[in-house]
Amino acid sequence: MRLMNVLPFSLAAVLAAQTVLTPAAKKPAAPPAKPATKAAKAAPKVNTLEAKFAKDTLSTVLDTVNASWFGQPYQHINAVQMQGSVRAVLSASAVNAKIAADTGGLVKGGATKAGNANVNIKTTYFANGDFKTDFSGDLGNGIWTRIGNKGFLYSKELNAYTTRVDPGPAEAPVSYMGWFREVIIDIRKVYAESGAFKATLGKEETSGGETLQTLTFDAPTGAYDPKKREQNLADTLGFWKRGRMDLTFEKTSKLPRRLSYVNEANGIRTGFDFHYSKGKLQSIDISNHSKGFDGPGGLRISYDANGLMKTVAGELNSQQRKIAFDLSLNWMKDLKSSQVAALPPAGAKKMGGDEQETLMLVGVAGNVMDLQRAGWNIMAPKVSTSARGK
């Protein structure tokens, strides 16, 4: 799975009716129909010329994004080293609310301190999908790697590893210019080429001497269900393929200026404002009104002398939660996957994937039991008594 395919905004899809522009041929007269008690409600017409123009314009905007945000500087780059940290903070009131929710309101939480989770990562990721990641922090310590179709996930706490990893992509790009282009192509297929959208033109406006145009893509979802706690993986990762997107771009440069995305079923309602310097994206201001995470956020990017992204840092805030990350990026040419290949540490025990997952859950359950002994009435995860390995 490509990380950037799961974007924080949607390029969604739903079937749109087609309007026939040429008159239909005459048919033999049919027998008179019986009088209807109620007139049938006419289906709303779709302006296919407007929809085509909106989709073609979106394709042009996406091409501009590819060239301006990514493009030529990444032509000969086949790998990137990323290093930094991800931090999540949950307030004491949010912890107490979680305890109450997990116990059906029967137990009131007594937490007085915020919960924190810090993860440090050092990873080398290739355009072809090979990778090696070292991770440490509150969620555990270990190594995760895949070269070709072979790899392993090692847990330091268990001193164990599994060689069951997901295979790499069948057709992988050789450079990051191709990698970013494939991301853009995936978005275009969903929004501009699938014929699954109701695409319309929004208003024109003038701001700072620039003429702006808005495109609207609407793929309605169901209503938000506050009782729903689970959904299948495809719906989770593909949430951006449905919903409503309003994209405002500058008509001369074709660069995006604003984007709002709403997915009612997933409780997502987010806005983005894009800021540039000499055509390069510098920052994104985020206005988030999603269920359970209402607050501001942002993303900041810096570049090296060659126009390559050097640092990416961001955060998302709400009254009770905060997520922040800060990553440095080092892009490389002609790096070979064999140069980062690794083996599990000597003495580590090999396990089946399910067996290792079960033991990791046991470890989590043990940590929860420690919290219970400390007075936190929070439910531990259910762990199966049997584990099968491959």
Coordinates of all heavy atoms in Angstrom, one line a residue, residues 97-137:
A97 N -12.9 9.9 29.6 CA -14.0 9.6 28.7 C -13.9 8.3 28.0 O -14.9 7.6 27.8 CB -14.1 10.7 27.6
K98 N -12.7 7.9 27.7 CA -12.4 6.5 27.0 C -12.8 5.4 28.1 O -13.4 4.4 27.7 CB -11.0 6.4 26.6 CG -10.6 5.1 26.0 CD -11.2 4.9 24.6 CE -10.7 3.7 23.9 NZ -11.5 2.5 24.0
I99 N -12.4 5.6 29.3 CA -12.7 4.6 30.3 C -14.2 4.5 30.5 O -14.7 3.4 30.5 CB -12.0 5.0 31.7 CG1 -10.5 4.9 31.6 CG2 -12.5 4.1 32.8 CD1 -9.8 5.5 32.8
A100 N -14.9 5.6 30.5 CA -16.3 5.6 30.7 C -17.0 4.9 29.5 O -17.9 4.1 29.6 CB -16.9 7.0 30.8
A101 N -16.5 5.2 28.3 CA -17.0 4.6 27.1 C -16.8 3.1 27.1 O -17.7 2.3 26.7 CB -16.4 5.2 25.8
D102 N -15.6 2.6 27.5 CA -15.3 1.2 27.4 C -16.0 0.4 28.5 O -16.2 -0.8 28.4 CB -13.8 1.0 27.7 CG -13.0 1.4 26.4 OD1 -13.6 1.5 25.3 OD2 -11.7 1.5 26.5
T103 N -16.5 1.1 29.5 CA -17.3 0.4 30.6 C -18.7 0.7 30.5 O -19.5 0.4 31.5 CB -16.7 0.7 32.0 OG1 -16.8 2.2 32.2 CG2 -15.3 0.3 32.1
G104 N -19.2 1.3 29.4 CA -20.6 1.6 29.3 C -21.1 2.6 30.3 O -22.3 2.7 30.6
G105 N -20.2 3.5 30.8 CA -20.6 4.5 31.7 C -20.7 4.0 33.2 O -21.0 4.8 34.1
L106 N -20.4 2.7 33.4 CA -20.5 2.2 34.8 C -19.3 2.6 35.6 O -19.4 2.6 36.9 CB -20.6 0.7 34.7 CG -21.8 0.1 34.0 CD1 -21.8 -1.4 33.9 CD2 -23.1 0.6 34.6
V107 N -18.2 2.9 35.0 CA -17.0 3.2 35.8 C -16.5 4.6 35.4 O -16.4 4.9 34.2 CB -15.8 2.2 35.5 CG1 -14.6 2.6 36.3 CG2 -16.3 0.8 35.9
K108 N -16.3 5.4 36.3 CA -15.8 6.8 36.1 C -14.3 6.8 36.2 O -13.7 6.3 37.2 CB -16.4 7.8 37.1 CG -17.9 7.8 37.0 CD -18.4 8.3 35.6 CE -19.9 8.4 35.6 NZ -20.5 8.7 34.3
G109 N -13.6 7.3 35.2 CA -12.1 7.4 35.3 C -11.6 8.3 36.3 O -12.2 9.4 36.6
G110 N -10.4 8.0 36.8 CA -9.8 8.9 37.8 C -8.5 9.4 37.4 O -7.6 9.8 38.2
A111 N -8.2 9.4 36.0 CA -6.9 9.9 35.5 C -6.7 11.4 35.8 O -7.6 12.2 35.6 CB -6.8 9.5 34.0
T112 N -5.6 11.7 36.2 CA -5.2 13.1 36.4 C -4.1 13.6 35.5 O -3.8 14.8 35.5 CB -4.8 13.4 37.9 OG1 -3.7 12.5 38.2 CG2 -6.0 13.0 38.8
K113 N -3.5 12.7 34.8 CA -2.4 13.0 33.9 C -2.7 12.7 32.5 O -3.4 11.7 32.2 CB -1.1 12.3 34.3 CG -0.5 12.7 35.7 CD 0.8 11.9 36.0 CE 1.4 12.4 37.3 NZ 2.6 11.7 37.6
A114 N -2.1 13.4 31.6 CA -2.4 13.2 30.2 C -1.6 11.9 29.8 O -0.6 11.5 30.4 CB -1.9 14.3 29.3
G115 N -2.1 11.2 28.7 CA -1.5 10.1 28.2 C -0.6 10.5 27.0 O -1.0 11.3 26.2
N116 N 0.6 9.9 26.9 CA 1.5 10.3 25.8 C 2.0 9.1 25.1 O 2.2 8.0 25.8 CB 2.7 11.1 26.4 CG 2.3 12.4 27.0 OD1 2.0 13.4 26.4 ND2 2.3 12.4 28.4
A117 N 2.2 9.2 23.8 CA 2.9 8.1 23.1 C 3.8 8.7 22.1 O 3.5 9.6 21.3 CB 1.8 7.3 22.3
N118 N 5.1 8.4 22.3 CA 6.2 8.9 21.4 C 6.8 7.7 20.6 O 7.1 6.7 21.2 CB 7.2 9.6 22.2 CG 6.7 10.8 22.9 OD1 6.5 11.9 22.3 ND2 6.4 10.7 24.2
V119 N 7.0 7.9 19.3 CA 7.6 7.0 18.5 C 8.7 7.6 17.7 O 8.5 8.7 17.0 CB 6.6 6.3 17.5 CG1 7.3 5.3 16.6 CG2 5.5 5.6 18.3
N120 N 9.9 7.1 17.7 CA 11.0 7.6 16.9 C 11.2 6.6 15.8 O 11.2 5.4 16.0 CB 12.3 7.7 17.7 CG 12.1 8.7 18.9 OD1 11.7 9.8 18.7 ND2 12.4 8.3 20.1
I121 N 11.4 7.1 14.6 CA 11.6 6.2 13.4 C 12.9 6.7 12.6 O 13.2 7.8 12.6 CB 10.4 6.2 12.5 CG1 10.2 7.6 11.9 CG2 9.2 5.7 13.2 CD1 9.2 7.6 10.7
K122 N 13.5 5.7 12.0 CA 14.6 5.9 11.1 C 14.4 4.9 10.0 O 14.5 3.7 10.2 CB 16.0 5.7 11.7 CG 17.1 6.0 10.8 CD 18.5 5.8 11.5 CE 19.6 6.1 10.6 NZ 20.9 5.9 11.2
T123 N 14.0 5.4 8.8 CA 13.6 4.5 7.7 C 14.3 4.9 6.4 O 14.5 6.0 6.1 CB 12.1 4.5 7.6 OG1 11.7 3.5 6.6 CG2 11.6 5.8 7.2
T124 N 14.5 3.9 5.6 CA 14.9 4.1 4.2 C 13.9 3.4 3.4 O 13.6 2.3 3.5 CB 16.3 3.4 3.9 OG1 17.3 3.9 4.8 CG2 16.7 3.6 2.5
Y125 N 13.3 4.3 2.5 CA 12.1 3.8 1.7 C 12.5 4.0 0.2 O 12.9 5.1 -0.2 CB 10.9 4.5 2.0 CG 9.6 3.9 1.5 CD1 8.9 3.0 2.3 CD2 9.1 4.1 0.2 CE1 7.8 2.4 1.8 CE2 8.0 3.5 -0.3 CZ 7.3 2.6 0.6 OH 6.2 2.0 0.1
F126 N 12.4 3.0 -0.6 CA 12.7 3.0 -2.0 C 11.5 3.3 -2.8 O 10.4 2.9 -2.4 CB 13.4 1.7 -2.4 CG 14.8 1.5 -1.9 CD1 14.9 1.0 -0.6 CD2 15.9 1.8 -2.6 CE1 16.2 0.8 0.0 CE2 17.2 1.6 -2.1 CZ 17.3 1.1 -0.8
A127 N 11.7 3.9 -4.0 CA 10.5 4.1 -4.9 C 9.9 2.8 -5.3 O 8.7 2.8 -5.6 CB 11.0 4.9 -6.1
N128 N 10.6 1.7 -5.4 CA 10.1 0.5 -5.8 C 9.4 -0.3 -4.7 O 8.9 -1.4 -4.9 CB 11.2 -0.4 -6.4 CG 12.2 -0.9 -5.4 OD1 12.1 -0.6 -4.2 ND2 13.2 -1.6 -5.8
G129 N 9.3 0.3 -3.5 CA 8.6 -0.3 -2.4 C 9.4 -1.0 -1.3 O 8.9 -1.4 -0.3
D130 N 10.7 -1.3 -1.6 CA 11.6 -1.8 -0.6 C 11.8 -0.8 0.5 O 11.8 0.4 0.3 CB 12.9 -2.2 -1.2 CG 12.9 -3.3 -2.2 OD1 11.8 -4.0 -2.3 OD2 13.8 -3.5 -3.0
F131 N 12.0 -1.4 1.8 CA 12.2 -0.5 2.9 C 12.8 -1.2 4.1 O 12.8 -2.4 4.2 CB 10.8 0.1 3.4 CG 9.9 -0.9 4.0 CD1 9.9 -1.2 5.3 CD2 9.0 -1.6 3.2 CE1 9.1 -2.1 5.9 CE2 8.1 -2.5 3.7 CZ 8.2 -2.8 5.1
K132 N 13.4 -0.4 4.9 CA 13.9 -0.8 6.2 C 13.6 0.3 7.2 O 14.0 1.4 7.0 CB 15.4 -1.2 6.2 CG 15.9 -1.6 7.6 CD 17.4 -1.9 7.5 CE 17.9 -2.3 8.9 NZ 18.0 -1.1 9.8
T133 N 12.9 -0.1 8.3 CA 12.5 0.9 9.3 C 13.0 0.4 10.7 O 12.7 -0.7 11.1 CB 11.0 1.1 9.3 OG1 10.6 1.6 8.1 CG2 10.6 2.1 10.4
D134 N 13.7 1.2 11.4 CA 14.0 1.0 12.8 C 13.0 1.9 13.6 O 13.0 3.1 13.4 CB 15.4 1.3 13.2 CG 16.4 0.4 12.4 OD1 16.7 -0.7 12.9 OD2 16.9 0.9 11.4
F135 N 12.3 1.3 14.6 CA 11.4 2.1 15.4 C 11.6 1.9 16.9 O 12.1 0.8 17.3 CB 10.0 1.8 15.1 CG 9.6 0.4 15.2 CD1 9.0 -0.1 16.4 CD2 9.7 -0.5 14.2 CE1 8.7 -1.4 16.5 CE2 9.4 -1.9 14.3 CZ 8.8 -2.3 15.5
S136 N 11.4 2.9 17.7 CA 11.5 2.8 19.1 C 10.6 3.8 19.8 O 10.1 4.8 19.2 CB 13.0 3.1 19.6 OG 13.3 4.5 19.2
G137 N 10.2 3.5 21.0 CA 9.3 4.4 21.8 C 8.3 3.7 22.6 O 8.4 2.5 22.9

